[in-house]
Amino acid sequence: MDVLSDVIAVMRTGQPRSARVTWHAPWAQQFASVPGSAGFQMILQGPCWLIPSDTDPVPLAVGDVVLLPRGRGHTLADSPSTRPTVPACDPSDPQFLERHATADTVGEPVRADAPVTVTLCGAYQLDPARAHPLLGSLPELIHLPAHLGRHPELRSTVDLLATELERPRLGTDAIIPALLDTLLLLMLRTWFDEQPADGTATGWAAALKDPAITAALQAMHREPARPWTVATLATQAGLSRAPFARRFTTLLGQPPLSYLTWWRMTTAARLLQESDAPLSAIAGRVGYASEFAFANAFKRHYGTPPGRYRHTT
């Protein structure tokens, strides 16, 4: 897989949750902060305001998408002056809504001519032990305004998801999780695509636009077991050793082999949790010639031996 797909695959855990909600003004709903998750809000119909806890309210239009990569708390409302009158919603709480639901929530009091807003919200569970540095490089809140003719894949996926939630049919239980995973990738892709290509971007936003660094990252992700050196990674990048090492470290904040070790250990942790493969097989898949060497490296990284990690996580 490519780097972005790998990042999501290694971090995602559990089942995503989603809901299509109809609101009748006046209304306001607070969404609790949920560390270890990513959340999104999409406006399908009507007026809406996003009210962060520490910045000015943001008006949202139909088609706007808001991604909260680290589960930041926030409020949605029909107006910045409307205050929540119900408990905060915790999207990770199974008692709040069914895993995939459609709800009609009315404000107080209800008027026949009250403006109606329809939102699509969702949350993804992320494993904090496998948090990729790419996630840490993202802003707390990503606002992707709707623009006619832009982001057609994102718009189409939103429409498909909204339809499945509103009118469940045969296959809906399989379709919705697949659409949610697609949606997360498209939201991140859209944000990365919109970052400036004039050299002002930094971190992962810049690294994923740099063909040389991307080639090296792809090589590490594609073959983590290969005995990579800075020189062989530089060859993949099409650069000489020293300029490659400097560029990689400048953009990503760590040397190439440090990132390689982190990726190997993160991959091993996922394999320990999600498979019954013996430790020797996992060691080989992440580049260690012996189970003993792998166990020592894993314990240095996670503070616990791989066998114990497998049975306690």
Side-chain angles (χ1 to χ4, degrees), residues 49-52 55-59 80:
W49 286 79
L50 173 76
I51 307 171
T55 56
D56 293 336
V58 179

Side-chain angles (χ1 to χ4, degrees), residues 25-259:
W27 64 273
Q29 176 65 62
Q30 184 178 4
F31 292 83
S33 176
V34 186
S37 74
F40 66 82
Q41 301 282 0
M42 300 173 180
I43 312 306
L44 303 182
Q45 175 185 329
C48 185
W49 286 79
L50 173 76
I51 307 171
S53 59
D54 55 357
T55 56
D56 293 336
V58 179
L60 300 178
V62 173
D64 280 13
V65 176
V66 175
L67 174 64
L68 304 114
R70 292 185 286 284
R72 180 184 182 182
H74 60 286
T75 298
L76 288 186
D78 67 310
S79 165
S81 61
T82 306
R83 294 291 178 262
T85 59
V86 296
C89 155
D90 181 347
S92 66
D93 183 355
Q95 302 302 315
F96 170 66
L97 280 175
E98 300 174 15
R99 187 156 59 88
H100 306 302
T102 297
D104 194 326
T105 304
V106 298
E108 296 290 347
V110 180
R111 305 190 317 265
D113 62 345
V116 173
T117 299
V118 181
T119 63
L120 187 64
C121 65
Y124 304 88
Q125 289 180 295
L126 305 176
D127 186 342
R130 305 198 300 249
H132 194 279
L134 180 151
L135 187 72
S137 73
L138 298 173
E140 288 281 351
L141 187 152
I142 294 173
H143 178 199
L144 303 173
H147 295 288
L148 186 63
R150 292 179 66 185
H151 322 315
E153 304 96 337
L154 182 58
R155 183 72 254 169
S156 297
T157 306
V158 170
D159 291 342
L160 284 170
L161 180 56
T163 299
E164 289 294 329
L165 287 167
E166 185 179 17
R167 296 190 296 275
R169 300 174 60 195
L170 288 173
T172 287
D173 285 347
I175 290 171
I176 288 179
L179 286 174
L180 285 168
D181 283 344
T182 301
L183 193 60
L184 178 58
L185 284 164
L186 288 174
M187 287 186 287
L188 290 171
R189 177 201 282 176
T190 299
W191 185 81
F192 279 114
D193 283 349
E194 292 189 343
Q195 298 312 295
D198 57 3
T200 60
T202 58
W204 280 87
L208 294 180
K209 287 182 177 290
D210 186 311
I213 301 305
T214 298
L217 287 168
Q218 298 280 51
M220 285 187 266
H221 280 243
R222 186 172 57 247
E223 299 180 88
R226 187 168 166 179
W228 294 108
T229 64
V230 175
T232 56
L233 287 169
T235 299
Q236 293 288 323
L239 298 172
S240 58
R241 185 183 183 282
F244 163 71
R246 281 196 301 270
R247 188 186 300 186
F248 191 104
T249 304
T250 298
L251 288 179
L252 297 181
Q254 59 181 319
L257 296 188
S258 295
Y259 177 79

